[in-house]
Amino acid sequence: MSTPISAPGRVREITSLTNPIIKDIRLLEKKRHRDETGLFLAEGMKLVIDAIENGWTIRTLIYSKAGRGQENVEKLAARCLAQGADVLIVSEKVLGTIARRDNPQMVMGVFEQRWTAPAAIKPAGNDVWVALDRVRDPGNLGTIIRTADAAGAKGVVLVGQTTDPFATETVRATMGSVFAVPLTRMSEAEFISFAKAWPGMVAGTHLKGAVDYREPDYTKEPVLLLMGNEQAGMTDDLADACSTLIKIPQAGRADSLNLAIATGVCLFEVRRHALNFDGDDA
Ligand code: SAM
């Protein structure tokens, strides 16, 4: 997996589950292996094309024998080979085992992870970044990355121990937005310093927030929107680091909203002034 990219890549046909290349790719289901290699898997033609078009580096393209002779698959394979990636043509069984499900997508890609360094974040104008305190659920994280993309947020900050944005399940839930939204990560202490240096509003969403989320003027300065953990909400230290604590009023018996839903509600309010009717930046 850690073979340096050489141009052009090689084509191999593999039908055995015990092939060492396949064993190595299957290990990417484990976070430890993803962390060690800096690689991850994306499933499906759309995701693989989105990634390549957004400039992500593909190491290996994998497709099932059924894709042979299909123009779109062969074109993609030629493009990947030209970029130095290897191409594996595999049996349905091998593909299903890598994807860990029946009826897998015909195409998968092994990509290099990409993280934005905190120092590279230069908030300006009315930029919005979303920060997530210890997000645990892969579906929530994937949905939030997708929502951040749709709302035109500049990126997502992962605070403390969070679920891995490059887990296959999370990548799938982003529907390709993981390739469009910059991701950064930091400890709680680093986030507190980051929030202190933030040149605008640090809006924490909190069930004890005193301010209705529709009240603040989000149009004048960069906004850092901080969301709490699914079970515990945000820590007191993080709440203290916010310049305002906002709340979404609720009716009914539910004591809180799902994290991804609350993020969507707040994010579209924060970005309301910037989105025109077609959903593009005004
Ligand atoms: N038991 C947790 C608590 O006491 O905070 C509930 C956490 S809630 C499921 C996850 C996160 O979604 C919260 O930390 C907050 O960021 C956001 N959230 C959910 N409902 C909210 C609401 N009505 N107003 C503001 N934020 C909310």
Side-chain angles (χ1 to χ4, degrees):
M1 305 297 301
S2 51
T3 320
I5 290 172
S6 54
R10 290 178 54 189
V11 182
R12 293 183 183 84
E13 185 163 333
I14 302 179
T15 50
S16 164
L17 287 174
T18 57
N19 180 293
I21 300 173
I22 299 302
K23 280 183 163 174
D24 218 8
I25 291 174
R26 286 177 62 191
L27 280 176
L28 289 175
E29 78 187 50
K30 300 198 186 310
K31 181 174 185 309
R32 191 158 60 96
H33 195 65
R34 290 194 299 274
D35 288 347
E36 281 166 11
T37 58
L39 300 176
F40 69 105
L41 257 178
E43 276 182 88
M45 190 81 170
K46 179 192 176 297
L47 250 61
V48 170
I49 291 175
D50 278 356
I52 292 171
E53 289 189 342
N54 278 290
W56 288 58
T57 303
I58 183 161
R59 289 284 192 90
T60 310
L61 177 78
I62 307 151
Y63 71 86
S64 81
K65 285 180 181 173
R68 259 202 192 122
Q70 289 195 18
E71 196 188 338
N72 54 352
V73 176
E74 303 246 344
K75 257 193 186 166
L76 177 63
R79 189 171 174 184
C80 293
L81 282 171
Q83 290 183 6
D86 289 332
V87 172
L88 307 180
I89 304 169
V90 302
S91 60
E92 286 290 323
K93 197 168 93 186
V94 169
L95 202 71
T97 309
I98 296 172
R100 289 187 295 147
R101 57 181 172 143
D102 298 333
N103 303 319
Q105 301 259 9
M106 190 188 288
V107 173
M108 283 186 243
V110 176
F111 288 90
E112 292 180 8
Q113 295 181 18
R114 198 186 271 180
W115 291 96
T116 297
I121 300 173
K122 309 276 182 220
N126 45 36
D127 288 357
V128 180
W129 279 74
V130 180
L132 304 172
D133 175 23
R134 296 163 298 153
V135 56
R136 289 280 191 251
D137 182 82
N140 274 345
L141 178 55
T143 305
I144 290 170
I145 292 171
R146 181 178 176 186
T147 307
D149 184 17
K154 293 288 176 193
V156 173
V157 183
L158 302 177
V159 183
Q161 287 289 323
T162 67
T163 192
D164 182 5
F166 295 112
T168 310
E169 196 184 345
T170 313
V171 170
R172 197 182 294 147
T174 72
M175 299 291 287
S177 292
V178 71
F179 301 115
V181 176
L183 299 173
T184 190
R185 55 187 163 181
M186 55 185 82
S187 67
E188 177 176 309
E190 286 165 338
F191 180 80
I192 290 170
S193 308
F194 180 77
K196 275 194 186 132
W198 185 261
M201 186 189 307
V202 182
T205 56
H206 204 293
L207 300 185
K208 293 192 183 134
V211 179
D212 184 309
Y213 78 109
R214 293 161 294 190
E215 267 176 36
D217 180 355
Y218 301 111
T219 65
K220 301 267 188 296
E221 52 189 4
V223 176
L224 182 55
L225 179 69
L226 174 62
M227 309 300 300
N229 164 268
E230 289 99 334
Q231 268 79 47
M234 71 183 67
T235 64
D236 291 345
D237 287 345
L238 286 176
D240 289 345
C242 295
S243 53
T244 182
L245 290 179
I246 56 175
K247 182 174 177 173
I248 306 164
Q250 291 183 205
R253 292 189 54 208
D255 60 3
S256 65
L257 292 164
N258 160 275
L259 170 64
I261 299 284
T263 308
V265 169
C266 291
L267 200 47
F268 274 87
E269 178 61 22
V270 171
R271 292 276 302 151
R272 185 160 56 95
H273 66 280
L275 295 170
N276 67 25
F277 187 71
D278 298 321
D280 300 323
D281 275 20

